[in-house]
Amino acid sequence: MELSNEEKEFLLQSIRKVYDFPKPGIVFRDITTLLNNKEAFNLLMQHLKNRYASYELDCVAGIESRGFIFGAVLANLLNIGFVPIRKKGKLPYTTISEKYSLEYGFSEIEIHIDAFDNSKKIQRVLLIDDLIATGGTAIAGANLIKKAGAECIEACFIVNLEDLGGLKAVKEITKTYTILDV
């Protein structure tokens, strides 16, 4: 079930635009205003629950930090597990990591080596984050899921910054779904 244009506009209007943050020329999409709008947040989460109810997922993996919010709530609604994908050095147990490119340099994300219980079958995982820009973090997240022995069924993003082209890159390695394309 797709969202109507009116519903998409409602969600889009619930996201604050912060101009020139974190640097001049950038329009930051602040989802905190969506989170504290109970009607918008409920609409979004019910839509995601309805979309993914038939996917036979085992886990939702959320990318630090805003992906944790959407991922944990969705996992709860679907009655499945949640796996955090964190910045390097934030997890307390043995991890596997993946580097990705930034505008100037590299960064790295990690998950626990035993994040997915593949003992009975390969885990079917949804990757989620609030926003897709250049795609580096999302590609690294999908690669981590694969390195951990699970299958990334789809990568979901609340907002797609179309001009930055990250969605196209992510589509080369997994299916994708976006709610708001701006």
Side-chain angles (χ1 to χ4, degrees):
M1 180 178 184
E2 290 296 315
L3 290 172
S4 69
N5 288 336
E6 292 80 21
E7 290 169 322
K8 287 182 181 183
E9 186 61 28
F10 173 63
L11 290 175
L12 191 59
Q13 293 304 315
S14 75
I15 299 171
R16 176 177 26 220
K17 294 179 189 174
V18 181
Y19 293 91
D20 298 320
F21 182 84
K23 61 184 184 179
I26 302 291
V27 179
F28 186 84
R29 306 291 174 159
D30 178 12
I31 56 104
T32 62
T33 51
L34 182 149
L35 296 173
N36 74 11
N37 179 327
K38 66 182 180 183
E39 290 84 13
F41 189 61
N42 187 54
L43 171 66
L44 173 65
M45 297 314 301
Q46 287 303 312
H47 170 68
L48 291 173
K49 177 187 175 189
N50 292 340
R51 176 177 175 78
Y52 291 110
S54 66
Y55 274 58
E56 299 179 14
L57 297 168
D58 297 297
C59 285
V60 175
I63 298 174
E64 185 169 345
S65 65
R66 294 174 299 273
F68 291 2
I69 299 164
F70 300 107
V73 172
L74 181 58
N76 180 265
L77 290 172
L78 295 173
N79 197 31
I80 59 177
F82 173 76
V83 172
I85 297 178
R86 302 227 42 201
K87 295 174 183 167
K88 184 168 179 61
K90 301 287 186 178
L91 291 171
Y93 187 64
T94 306
T95 61
I96 52 178
S97 64
E98 182 80 13
K99 289 184 179 179
Y100 59 96
S101 297
L102 297 171
E103 188 176 355
Y104 298 105
F106 294 90
S107 193
E108 198 166 353
I109 54 176
E110 300 178 317
I111 59 171
H112 282 138
I113 197 163
D114 60 353
F116 306 107
D117 178 9
N118 294 311
S119 61
K120 294 185 178 92
K121 68 177 185 92
I122 301 297
Q123 299 289 280
R124 294 171 52 84
V125 180
L126 171 70
L127 178 66
I128 193 165
D129 205 357
D130 68 324
L131 181 138
I132 177 110
T134 61
T137 310
I139 291 168
N143 287 340
L144 274 177
I145 291 167
K146 185 176 180 179
K147 279 184 177 180
E151 180 182 3
C152 184
I153 299 301
E154 190 166 271
C156 174
F157 308 98
I158 310 309
V159 178
N160 170 30
L161 301 178
E162 292 179 295
D163 290 348
L164 297 178
L167 194 64
K168 182 179 178 186
V170 176
K171 283 182 177 183
E172 292 180 14
I173 61 168
T174 191
K175 292 180 183 176
T176 62
Y177 178 66
T178 61
I179 297 168
L180 304 170
D181 298 306
V182 299

